[in-house]
Amino acid sequence: MKNLKWWQKTAVYQIYPKSFMDTTGKGTGDLRGITSKLDYLQKLGVGAIWLTPIYPSPMIDNGYDISDYTAIDSSYGTMADFDELIDEAKARNIKIVMDLVYNHTSDKHAWFLESKSSRDNPKADWYIWRDEKTNWRSIFGGSAWEFCPERGQYYLHTFATQQPDLNWENPEVRRALFDAANFWLKKGVGGFRVDAITYIKKPAEFKDGESDGKDGLVSVHIMTAATKGILDFLHEFKREVFDGHDIFTVAEANGVAAEDLPKWVGSDGVFDMLFEFSHVNLSLKDGEIWCRPTKWKLTELKQAIANSQTATKNNGWYPIFFENHDKPRSVNHFLPKASDPIKAAKILGTILLTMRGTPFIYEGQELGMTNVAWDSIEKYNDISSRGQYEIALNEGFSKEKALEFVHFFSRDNARTPMQWNSSENAGFTAGKPWLPIHDDYKICNAATEDADKNSVLNYFRKLNAFRANSEILLFGDYEELLRDDENIFAFARAVENKKIYVLANFTLNEVTFPTEILGQSKFILGNYTAHNKGVLKPLEVVLYKEATS
Ligand code: GLC
């Protein structure tokens, strides 16, 4: 097989540690809980685990507000637990990937406490301070500026008030951040997911923008994402941290256009992969405001994915994902409302595990977990859901409508605890879970699915194992099929004349397709027990393989 790096040949599993496995009965997950589930992950066939932040944090944004970059939050355990996790994972050929949140810290970080104390302390310039504010809206809602009485100045926060933005222009800040990343490399981590990186460079001048809402504000995303000059910082980051290590880096890069990808990834770029959001943000065409969800078509989804496949064809590598801790469950988001979740989960799982790139499986996706719909905003923990609910009310929507948007978009959809078995609290905790367990846990859980050969879990395992040994799925080119079809998502993967075809019916109706597109290939796998060539039953997905290969 061709020379691919280790991380190009395996799937990555994303863990939201607070919701994964609790070993102490406190209601939140911990590192020892993750270690206890490594055999499960090995059986699923993943070679790396991306942990969302486990550092000390006041948990305003569940760990994305960090108060110490080189320690472990006591709710997750100790540094010894972390070392044990690295060792136990290594014994199973699994690497641990850390989340670097370097656009901002917590407002309780010692750096910020010092910076805010006066205008002339040694860290006075470590954050973004201004005498005047602009009309920028933070990503979680409300002004992106907060007044600090000690300095008589405002600081910028792209996200929550408690997440002040660092000043990357200051070389001391960059040094401190690079040192912290190197600390984790010395511990043997297998790579980094780099958070919200498109926001680290601010424009030279801070000006008001044209408002995009009824609040008179404009999204900070529009005003600051991917500002010119950002790549200089990032190349320094690469030189000082990533170069010379057998790791992978994947950056969260909202706002990078597909045509700019070569500057960000690949031989002339900075990162190995970039999470860009064109295919998962189709409902947000008007920007980041949830209360204006737009309808999207299957052809747009196919086009968004095809663009990323084309952009990374010869340069860089694509991280394929349909879910993460910020997005609703994919089954609800991409398939019609009345869909059978098992069929739907297998459709998205098939596309995820057969496309070109590194698949990222988000915890619970391999079980077919689905959204929740709680009856009041108070039940939601997610700071972003609460902010967006307020925005919806301010825009004039009723409470019911605002809650409907929350049901559709809330990040808590993906954060309900992992469902391990059918016992109380789905086997996640012996205490009171920090977020309610989804009420379908008696049927949708790892133990029940392990015993059912037709389960989503066993389907993921089978497909993952198939992928790991398939030259076509690892290296093959991506070829779009039935590009204008609004019902069927179809593509082929090809190494010369050896091909695998994937066809998925995204509708609840039976549809037909021209069998010529399949050449001489034969049916090998699908989500129904029987399949008729040329016809796709509701939500049917099939894999065909060229007989010659
Ligand atoms: C990223 C994270 C998200 C977090 C935000 C602020 O978008 O994925 O969960 O709230 O950054 O750090």
Side-chain angles (χ1 to χ4, degrees), residues 16 50 61 64-65 99 101 104 140 159 163 193 195-196 252 324-326 383 411 415:
Y16 198 68
W50 151 28
D61 188 19
Y64 281 93
D65 47 323
D99 206 320
V101 186
H104 46 268
F140 294 156
F159 294 89
Q163 291 170 301
R193 179 264 186 182
D195 185 70
E252 185 197 31
N324 67 26
H325 62 293
D326 293 331
I383 185 170
R411 306 191 301 177
R415 297 177 181 186

Side-chain angles (χ1 to χ4, degrees), residues 414-425:
R415 297 177 181 186
T416 62
M418 179 69 177
Q419 295 164 197
W420 292 109
N421 56 47
S422 57
S423 72
E424 206 185 345
N425 293 326

Side-chain angles (χ1 to χ4, degrees), residues 231 234-235 237-238 242 249 263-266 268-272:
L231 287 160
L234 295 179
H235 279 288
F237 196 174
K238 177 172 184 284
F242 312 146
T249 56
K263 295 189 205 140
W264 288 74
V265 291
D268 298 330
V270 174
F271 301 107
D272 295 309

Side-chain angles (χ1 to χ4, degrees), residues 266-337:
S267 47
D268 298 330
V270 174
F271 301 107
D272 295 309
M273 298 178 269
L274 219 58
F275 284 130
E276 55 91 20
F277 293 85
S278 53
H279 66 301
V280 287
N281 279 354
L282 291 168
S283 304
L284 285 173
K285 271 176 251 159
D286 293 337
E288 292 283 311
I289 302 186
W290 282 3
C291 55
R292 291 180 218 140
T294 11
K295 288 217 177 332
W296 54 273
K297 295 191 195 139
L298 185 64
T299 42
E300 293 173 296
L301 175 65
K302 294 194 281 189
Q303 187 61 54
I305 289 178
N307 288 349
S308 308
Q309 290 282 329
T310 309
T312 50
K313 184 171 183 214
N314 300 315
N315 201 18
W317 193 250
Y318 185 46
I320 317 152
F321 74 101
F322 290 111
E323 289 190 20
N324 67 26
H325 62 293
D326 293 331
K327 294 283 160 205
R329 290 293 183 178
S330 55
V331 164
N332 300 84
H333 198 76
F334 292 101
L335 281 313
K337 243 195 187 133

Side-chain angles (χ1 to χ4, degrees), residues 443-458:
I443 39 167
C444 177
N445 67 69
T448 305
E449 294 198 25
D450 182 58
D452 171 4
K453 69 176 185 356
N454 293 321
S455 67
V456 179
L457 177 60
N458 279 320

